């Protein structure tokens, strides 16, 4: 082997190692960001889900839903159903940020003749959409368990499940793995476009906040928090309709809906087009703080990891 070949082999090995390290860091930091998101955003998410799935007239609005939840279950009621997302969101966000890192690498691979390393908005969107594909297979069963725990007991209904393990056992007994993964298509319909908007919102905001001749990696925590919050607002501005349908599909008795389009048709027929925007207020109220916390956690943990390896 010539010295030139040896140098090329070393360079290739270093490139592979660097790529692997980048993926590992994205996975770990994404998981940490997910934990931050749940701790900040779960009460908002619970109210959103209850508004989306309750019978008409159960609540007058988000504030009324909060009051009735507190009156019935106390402050801890706002954190009902938090265990599934806390256990599940760690891998969900880990896979999401790993998928986004992978999506960016795929964009670069399929554009070998690019003249700039800077991504366009469309390329960020493509990488974001790709991140939702592996994420969905983790998110769908977690979302299924979460919403079932969140809605039980509302309107005087029975407390069917004691916790997340009880939910999984019950769903498997009712319909096997298929029941546990009900709503997977609806989850992808929400998270595909939503993730595209999510990462575009973050990257575009960071770019806008970056001074000339500076790097976005040097932004202060305030800028990171703002960009993260805007990512959440951008995502949820388009994700509510598919989220409503996902929640209804995942909480309705088996056989109620024959897929996403059937759910949309029946929802509009029964409650009008406005029903597709139920929970918009709590979702948007949650969007900024929860996702500001997410990206703060991601960026802070990423810096720690960069110093470690």
């Amino acid at each position: 082997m010539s010295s030139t070949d040896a140098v090329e082999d070393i360079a290739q090995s270093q490139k592979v190692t660097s790529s692997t390290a980048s993926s590992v860091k994205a996975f770990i930091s994404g998981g940490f960001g997910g934990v931050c998101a749940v701790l900040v955003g779960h009460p908002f998410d619970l109210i959103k889900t209850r508004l989306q799935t309750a019978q008409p007239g159960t609540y007058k609005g988000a504030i009324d839903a909060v009051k009735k939840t507190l009156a019935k279950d106390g402050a801890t009621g706002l954190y009902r159903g938090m265990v599934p997302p806390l256990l599940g969101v760690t891998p969900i966000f880990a896979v999401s940020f790993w998928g986004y890192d992978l999506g960016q690498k795929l964009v670069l691979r399929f554009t070998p003749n690019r003249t700039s390393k800077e991504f366009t908005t469309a390329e960020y969107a493509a990488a974001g959409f790709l991140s939702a594909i592996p994420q969905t297979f983790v998110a769908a069963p977690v979302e299924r368990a979460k919403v079932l725990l969140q809605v039980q007991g509302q309107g005087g209904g029975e407390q069917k499940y004691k916790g997340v393990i009880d939910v999984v056992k019950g769903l498997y007994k009712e319909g096997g793995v298929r029941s546990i993964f009900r709503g997977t298509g609806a989850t992808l319909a929400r998270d595909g476009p939503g993730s595209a908007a999510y990462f575009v919102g973050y990257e575009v905001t960071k770019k806008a906040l970056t001074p000339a001749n500076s790097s976005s990696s040097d932004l202060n925590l305030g800028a990171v928090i703002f960009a993260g919050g805007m990512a959440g607002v951008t995502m949820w501005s388009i994700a509510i309709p598919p989220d409503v349908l996902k929640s209804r599909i995942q909480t309705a008795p088996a056989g109620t809906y024959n897929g996403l389009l059937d759910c949309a048709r029946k929802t509009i027929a029964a409650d009008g087009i406005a029903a597709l925007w139920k929970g918009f207020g709590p979702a948007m109220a949650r969007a900024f703080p929860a996702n500001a916390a997410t990206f703060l956690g991601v960026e802070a943990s990423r810096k720690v990891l960069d110093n470690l390896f």
Side-chain angles (χ1 to χ4, degrees):
M1 179 184 292
S2 68
S3 60
T4 301
D5 290 337
V7 170
E8 289 179 351
D9 286 345
I10 292 172
Q12 181 63 27
S13 177
Q14 290 176 336
K15 185 176 180 180
V16 171
T17 301
S18 176
S19 178
T20 301
S22 174
S23 296
V24 171
K25 291 174 184 177
F27 187 86
I28 295 173
S29 61
F32 186 75
V35 172
C36 295
V38 173
L39 294 177
V40 173
H42 188 78
F44 298 97
D45 189 62
L46 179 137
I47 297 302
K48 170 185 69 68
T49 302
R50 291 195 163 193
L51 287 172
Q52 289 175 342
T53 58
Q55 293 297 317
T58 303
Y59 304 115
K60 297 176 182 177
I63 301 300
D64 185 49
V66 172
K67 288 180 178 178
K68 288 181 177 177
T69 298
L70 290 174
K72 187 174 187 298
D73 302 318
T76 57
L78 293 174
Y79 284 89
R80 173 173 288 172
M82 190 178 76
V83 173
L86 196 57
L87 295 176
V89 160
T90 300
I92 287 171
F93 274 76
V95 171
S96 174
F97 279 84
W98 167 79
Y100 183 55
D101 182 73
L102 177 62
Q104 289 178 303
K105 291 172 183 174
L106 289 173
V107 168
L108 291 174
R109 178 174 295 180
F110 284 101
T111 55
N113 298 321
R114 62 190 303 122
T115 57
S116 172
K117 292 183 179 180
E118 290 290 325
F119 278 59
T120 65
T121 300
E123 288 171 337
Y124 281 128
F129 188 95
L130 288 170
S131 75
I133 297 174
Q135 172 196 324
T136 295
F137 291 99
V138 181
V142 172
E143 289 276 318
R144 174 91 153 113
K146 180 195 74 175
V147 296
L148 285 172
L149 286 171
Q150 286 179 334
V151 303
Q152 70 173 356
Q154 69 175 353
E158 65 171 323
Q159 297 282 345
K160 186 176 180 180
Y161 302 110
K162 298 176 182 178
V164 61
I165 301 300
D166 195 35
V167 173
V168 174
K169 287 181 178 178
L171 292 177
Y172 186 79
K173 185 177 180 180
E174 289 174 8
V177 174
R178 185 182 181 89
S179 178
I180 295 173
F181 278 84
R182 187 199 297 174
T184 297
T187 303
L188 182 59
R190 180 195 68 179
D191 290 349
S195 293
Y198 187 63
F199 287 107
V200 164
Y202 183 64
E203 300 290 359
V204 169
T205 304
K206 277 209 310 181
K207 186 175 181 179
L209 295 174
T210 303
N213 302 318
S214 297
S215 170
S216 61
S217 61
D218 297 326
L219 288 174
N220 59 39
L221 290 182
V224 170
I225 289 171
F226 182 74
M230 290 306 298
V233 170
T234 304
M235 173 184 172
W236 284 104
S237 65
I238 67 169
I240 284 293
D243 186 62
V244 169
L245 300 178
K246 179 200 71 68
S247 294
R248 293 196 172 203
I249 288 171
Q250 291 185 320
T251 57
T256 303
Y257 303 114
N258 186 26
L260 188 68
L261 293 179
D262 183 55
C263 180
R265 181 179 60 81
K266 289 178 178 176
T267 297
I268 294 171
D271 303 322
I273 192 72
L276 295 178
W277 295 94
K278 281 187 176 181
F280 181 78
M284 295 306 287
R286 172 188 180 276
F288 193 96
N291 290 287
T294 298
F295 278 97
L296 178 60
V298 168
E299 295 288 1
S301 59
R302 184 62 184 257
K303 287 185 178 181
V304 171
L305 293 171
D306 285 341
N307 289 330
L308 292 176
F309 62 96

